């Protein structure tokens, strides 16, 4: 970890210097402020509807940030040849890849935390509720974006940004098609257990219920660890085949 953390922190610092993170967050916050004014049969948007729309907006925000950071990070460093300086300092290609992923994951987590606080403030002002269950939704989205980032970083070791974004969106669509094809929802609904991005779909219990039980959160973490591990292993194998 002593070689991975500096790489991750460098990714975080570079990401915070980019305007895209702040632009996306501000734009999403403005849209969140507009949610209570959406028409809802003339009665105003209910708290449950606000939570559902806010989670959808949070997902899109996190996805844009993740893809904007992951799609061109490694290709850009390969093109500028800055990766050679990192690899030359006794850093393995696997450590470089994991550090890059970890930095992107940290930035996305910061964006999700900031956006969730904004949602809570709007919830208190508009509905008089702190809406603590939104943090479960934020956790689910963050974990899913970790999987997305791992896949995008892996593909970026051999392809450019356009291919990375297209492939990632395709995998994201396929990963959420399991419930349509097999029935059930989330990791706890899988019989037998099969890793699926539907494990991170907690919109209904968070928006219209009291949240999800601890065992469901545990199932999300299991799926997260497994899919991220596979993505990073694949990325490491692909990167090791490149002539640096």
């Amino acid at each position: 970890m002593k070689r991975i953390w500096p790489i991750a922190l460098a990714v975080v610092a570079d990401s915070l210097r980019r305007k895209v993170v702040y632009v996306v967050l501000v734009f999403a916050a403005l849209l969140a402020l507009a949610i209570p004014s959406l028409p809802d049969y003339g009665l105003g948007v209910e708290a449950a509807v606000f939570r559902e729309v806010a989670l959808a907006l949070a997902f899109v925000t996190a996805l844009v940030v993740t893809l904007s950071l992951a799609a061109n990070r490694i290709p850009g460093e390969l093109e500028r040849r800055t990766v050679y300086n990192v690899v030359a300092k006794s850093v393995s290609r696997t450590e470089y890849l994991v550090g890059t992923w970890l930095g992107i994951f940290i930035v996305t987590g910061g964006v999700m935390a900031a956006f969730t606080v904004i949602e809570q403030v709007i919830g208190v002002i508009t509905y008089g509720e702190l809406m603590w269950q939104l943090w479960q939704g934020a956790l689910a989205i963050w974990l899913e974006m970790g999987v997305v980032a791992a896949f995008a970083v892996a593909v970026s070791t051999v392809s450019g940004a356009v291919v990375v974004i297209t492939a990632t969106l395709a995998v994201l669509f396929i990963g959420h098609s399991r419930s349509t094809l097999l029935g059930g929802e989330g990791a706890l609904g899988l019989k037998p257990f099969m890793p699926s991005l539907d494990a991170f779909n907690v919109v209904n219990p968070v928006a219209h219920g009291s949240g999800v039980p601890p065992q469901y959160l545990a199932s999300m973490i299991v799926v997260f660890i497994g899919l991220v591990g596979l993505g990073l292993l694949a990325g490491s194998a692909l990167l090791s085949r490149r002539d640096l």
Side-chain angles (χ1 to χ4, degrees), residues 6 11 18 25 33 60 69 78 80 89 101-102 124 145 149 152 166 168 181 189 193 201 216 219 232 242:
V11 172
R18 300 185 183 186
L25 183 58
L33 287 170
V60 174
L69 296 179
L78 288 172
R80 295 189 300 269
K89 297 177 180 178
W101 169 83
L102 181 59
V124 170
M145 289 306 109
T166 302
T168 303
L181 297 175
F193 177 80
N201 181 7
Y216 197 104
S219 72
L232 294 179
R242 294 201 59 156

Side-chain angles (χ1 to χ4, degrees), residues 143-228:
L143 293 178
E144 182 170 358
M145 289 306 109
V147 176
V148 169
F151 178 82
V153 167
V155 176
S156 72
T157 61
V158 293
S159 301
V162 175
V163 174
V164 172
I165 293 174
T166 302
T168 303
L169 292 178
V171 167
L172 194 63
F173 174 78
I174 295 171
H176 279 289
S177 298
R178 187 213 56 80
S179 60
T180 302
L181 297 175
L182 302 178
E185 178 181 340
L188 295 183
L190 294 172
K191 297 179 181 180
F193 177 80
M194 292 174 57
S196 166
L197 294 182
D198 278 331
F200 308 107
N201 181 7
V202 296
V203 173
N204 284 335
V206 170
H208 303 283
S210 57
V212 295
Q215 63 267 29
Y216 197 104
L217 296 176
S219 72
M220 288 196 301
I221 294 174
V222 170
V223 174
F224 164 78
I225 293 173
L227 294 181
V228 168

Side-chain angles (χ1 to χ4, degrees), residues 42-58:
L43 300 176
V45 176
E46 297 179 356
V49 178
F50 169 80
R51 288 192 292 270
E52 184 172 351
V53 178
L55 287 174
L57 185 56

Side-chain angles (χ1 to χ4, degrees), residues 11-153:
V11 172
V12 172
D14 181 66
S15 301
L16 294 179
R17 286 194 293 267
R18 300 185 183 186
K19 295 180 180 180
V20 61
V21 174
Y22 303 104
V23 170
V24 171
L25 183 58
V26 171
F27 184 68
L30 292 175
L31 290 178
L33 287 170
I35 294 175
S37 63
L38 293 174
D40 186 31
Y41 303 102
L43 300 176
V45 176
E46 297 179 356
V49 178
F50 169 80
R51 288 192 292 270
E52 184 172 351
V53 178
L55 287 174
L57 185 56
F59 180 86
V60 174
T61 300
L63 181 61
V64 171
V65 170
T66 300
L67 288 180
S68 65
L69 296 179
N72 200 41
R73 178 73 193 184
I74 292 179
E77 292 202 340
L78 288 172
E79 183 179 349
R80 295 189 300 269
R81 305 180 71 85
T82 54
V83 65
Y84 297 93
N85 297 327
V86 177
V87 176
K89 297 177 180 178
S90 301
V91 175
S92 69
R93 302 186 187 195
T94 299
E95 290 170 334
Y96 167 73
L97 190 76
V98 173
T100 300
W101 169 83
L102 181 59
I104 296 170
F105 188 55
I106 291 172
V107 173
T108 305
V111 171
M112 287 305 304
F115 189 63
T116 303
V117 170
I118 293 173
E119 292 173 338
Q120 282 190 291
V121 171
I122 298 173
V124 170
I125 295 175
T126 307
Y127 306 103
E129 300 180 23
L130 270 176
M131 300 185 178
W132 289 108
Q133 61 267 46
L134 285 173
W135 284 100
Q136 290 186 332
L139 174 62
I141 294 171
W142 184 39
L143 293 178
E144 182 170 358
M145 289 306 109
V147 176
V148 169
F151 178 82
V153 167

